[in-house]
Amino acid sequence: MLNSKLSAQRPLSSRWLRLIAGLGLVAVLAACGSSVKLDDVPVEDRKGTAAGASAGGQSGAVDPRGVSGVAVNGSDAAQPGAMSRIVYFDYDSFEVKGEFAATLEANARYLNANRTRRVNLEGHTDERGGREYNLALGQKRSEAVRRALALLGVTEAQMEAVSFGEEKPAQAGFDEAAFSKNRRVELTYR
């Protein structure tokens, strides 16, 4: 008799559990909804006004004429001017081509002569491929340039290899000319 009561209660409790779970799901989905109408966003025409200027013509921004320069020790020249600082790559490759040996040697000579200077090796890719793949490929490219500079005597402490993937194209476009300019490592001195 006890077994018959328990078996009669199981379907009832199972129904209640499904009902509660269903109500919980409805509550969660309702909480995820938004009442913001994205098509009714107000648009303000700001043609003819200076950046930071309000309607009354007063600006809350700092007047750039009253700001003096900031001197940072050890950074006499932001970027060395007379040498190339870009290494280009073939499609889907992170092999440093021999035609960029002179570029790498010139940058290595500069870094070896200026041991306090640091350089970011910024790896880039074209738009083809997924985001994660392009970030990894950009990192492999920057690491390949880092290894080449290390073989030329540049210390590891002077270099940092980073990847931007496809996020910062050098040239917009969907043809091979644009793609070839975007497959690169830029040496940015800091």
Side-chain angles (χ1 to χ4, degrees), residues 3-117:
N3 281 339
S4 66
K5 283 186 180 180
L6 287 177
S7 64
Q9 288 179 351
R10 279 189 192 148
L12 183 62
S13 64
S14 174
R15 287 185 213 147
W16 278 105
L17 286 175
R18 283 191 295 220
L19 178 64
I20 291 171
L23 290 174
L25 180 62
V26 167
V28 168
L29 291 175
C32 291
S34 175
S35 63
V36 176
K37 296 185 191 274
L38 296 177
D39 295 336
D40 296 337
V41 177
V43 177
E44 186 177 327
D45 184 14
R46 293 190 178 199
K47 292 181 183 172
T49 60
S54 63
Q58 299 295 325
S59 174
V62 175
D63 183 6
R65 294 171 291 183
V67 177
S68 62
V70 177
V72 178
N73 294 334
S75 63
D76 52 338
Q79 302 296 316
M83 65 182 161
S84 175
R85 294 185 315 272
I86 299 178
V87 176
Y88 292 101
F89 291 83
D90 289 333
Y91 173 71
D92 202 27
S93 171
F94 56 93
E95 180 181 334
V96 178
K97 297 188 279 188
E99 65 189 81
F100 295 104
T103 298
L104 293 174
E105 288 169 1
N107 282 277
R109 276 194 304 275
Y110 177 81
L111 287 165
N112 287 330
N114 300 285
R115 291 290 184 178
T116 59
R117 293 303 304 264

Side-chain angles (χ1 to χ4, degrees), residues 93-161:
S93 171
F94 56 93
E95 180 181 334
V96 178
K97 297 188 279 188
E99 65 189 81
F100 295 104
T103 298
L104 293 174
E105 288 169 1
N107 282 277
R109 276 194 304 275
Y110 177 81
L111 287 165
N112 287 330
N114 300 285
R115 291 290 184 178
T116 59
R117 293 303 304 264
R118 305 287 184 259
V119 65
N120 280 350
L121 308 170
E122 301 172 349
H124 300 271
T125 65
D126 59 33
E127 294 180 358
R128 296 175 286 188
R131 183 177 186 277
E132 292 83 12
Y133 178 82
N134 284 338
L135 282 171
L137 181 58
Q139 187 67 35
K140 288 178 182 179
R141 288 175 176 168
S142 61
E143 290 291 335
V145 171
R146 184 192 57 75
R147 283 190 301 275
L149 289 172
L151 289 173
L152 294 169
V154 179
T155 64
E156 294 290 329
Q158 288 180 276
M159 301 179 285
E160 182 177 1

